[in-house]
Amino acid sequence: GTPIGSAGAIQFSADGRYVLAVDPASNDISVLRVKDDGSLRLVGTEASHGTTPVSITVHGFLVYVANAGVGGSDYTGFWFFDGHLFPIWDSTIPLPDSASPGQILFSGDGRTLIGTRVGPSAGPSFIDSFRVGFFGRLTPASDSPIPAQRIGPFGSAFRPTNPRQLFVSNAHDGAGLGSVSVYHVARDASLTAINGSPFADNQTAPCWVAITPNGNELFAINTASSSISRYRIAPGGSLTLLGSTPMSDPTNLRPFDAQVDPSGHYLYVVDAGAVAVSAFAISGGNLTELGSSPAAIPGGAAPFGLIVN
């Protein structure tokens, strides 16, 4: 019943036939089969090869997980075949106990893997960047880990239309000081902040980001102010803040992970405090909360992960 502060805690397999979910309290990963009617059947679990797994990412048959526990913080790789995970020998990248990873994420082309280190509340914070090589092994970029532009790099997203543009929310700078950093990703996986980065959102604790499939708009979920900042993305990656949309009935809301549906028409946000999912229609960078939102989630408290197919 305790929500974990992370992004990407639950993912579809590349073919959409399975769901992979981290289990922070039992230090493993669950694999579930998606049945024809949308219901799920547990296939099995696999040890995360660390402690407190909080984020998972998938590209093709390759899977990496971020473990955040003291004495077991790392990134570890797996192969995924026919509903089963197989650890990749010697793939584990140890992290310091103070790293507090927030998300691990493949680029759309699968050539880059990044991990955000939220770090202590006062910093320092870092971003890990790796080139993905043969047999799923990772080679760190020459400048990895790089110091984050602000405290608390958290949610991250590669632009769907350009795997060389990376967007990272900065969550821990204080009230009204949230921002989003934009990085150019070189072919060796090194990161360079673009001109003007970070881009302010004038809200508090932007922890999760979601980008429309056409790569034109970015939404930052402000957990502490129960609002969603809306940005237009220029071809070069720079951001223009369009405004912030408050979430309806913010009492008890703790907006967490967010996803845009594949059509690009709707944004969904999981609310850990209200045990609900909020839904918004997307139109030209504007958001309109649906009349049925937020919709209650049956079955348990403190949801913190969300995927949409």
Side-chain angles (χ1 to χ4, degrees):
T2 301
I4 299 297
S6 70
I10 181 171
Q11 301 287 355
F12 283 110
S13 61
D15 60 8
R17 297 172 57 207
Y18 297 92
V19 165
L20 292 83
V22 296
D23 303 315
S26 53
N27 303 325
D28 55 29
I29 303 163
S30 290
V31 179
L32 303 102
R33 180 74 162 89
V34 182
K35 299 167 70 173
D36 290 342
D37 63 357
S39 63
L40 301 174
R41 176 180 60 84
L42 180 65
V43 175
T45 61
E46 172 68 33
S48 69
H49 291 254
T51 59
T52 318
V54 294
S55 182
I56 192 167
T57 186
V58 180
H59 182 80
F61 298 108
L62 187 58
V63 173
Y64 263 84
V65 65
N67 292 292
V70 173
S73 187
D74 61 50
Y75 306 130
T76 294
F78 301 83
W79 292 114
F80 183 74
F81 295 107
D82 196 27
H84 299 280
L85 289 164
F86 302 92
I88 299 174
W89 181 80
D90 200 30
S91 66
T92 297
I93 307 291
L95 296 172
D97 288 341
S98 61
S100 187
Q103 184 171 14
I104 190 169
L105 183 67
F106 280 114
S107 60
D109 58 10
R111 296 177 180 177
T112 305
L113 182 139
I114 66 100
T116 56
R117 298 190 196 180
V118 180
S121 58
S125 303
F126 299 91
I127 300 175
D128 293 299
S129 187
F130 303 92
R131 182 169 50 84
V132 182
F134 293 110
F135 308 111
R137 300 292 180 81
L138 303 179
T139 301
S142 59
D143 57 355
S144 182
I146 70 163
Q149 288 194 294
R150 293 289 187 267
I151 300 172
F154 202 106
S156 55
F158 287 92
R159 193 173 189 174
T161 54
N162 187 343
R164 297 300 166 199
Q165 292 178 359
L166 172 68
F167 301 79
V168 180
S169 65
N170 301 301
H172 292 171
D173 271 339
L177 297 176
S179 64
V180 178
S181 291
V182 184
Y183 299 91
H184 171 73
V185 185
R187 296 200 176 273
D188 68 351
S190 60
L191 303 178
T192 304
I194 71 167
N195 290 337
S197 179
F199 297 89
D201 86 337
N202 303 321
Q203 300 289 308
T204 305
C207 293
W208 287 268
V209 294
I211 300 177
T212 53
N214 61 12
N216 290 342
E217 287 89 30
L218 178 144
F219 304 105
I221 311 304
N222 303 300
T223 301
S225 49
S226 294
S227 64
I228 303 171
S229 294
R230 300 172 282 109
Y231 292 92
R232 180 87 67 210
I233 308 176
S238 61
L239 298 175
T240 299
L241 181 63
L242 302 176
S244 295
T245 300
M247 303 180 76
S248 67
D249 190 18
T251 303
N252 296 323
L253 282 185
R254 291 182 66 191
F256 270 31
D257 215 346
Q259 292 280 319
V260 176
D261 83 297
S263 74
H265 292 157
Y266 298 98
L267 171 72
Y268 297 93
V269 182
V270 64
D271 306 316
V275 193
V277 173
S278 294
F280 300 82
I282 301 171
S283 178
N286 293 315
L287 293 175
T288 302
E289 189 160 1
L290 303 185
S292 59
S293 175
I297 299 173
F304 68 95
L306 179 75
I307 48 176
V308 182
N309 70 5

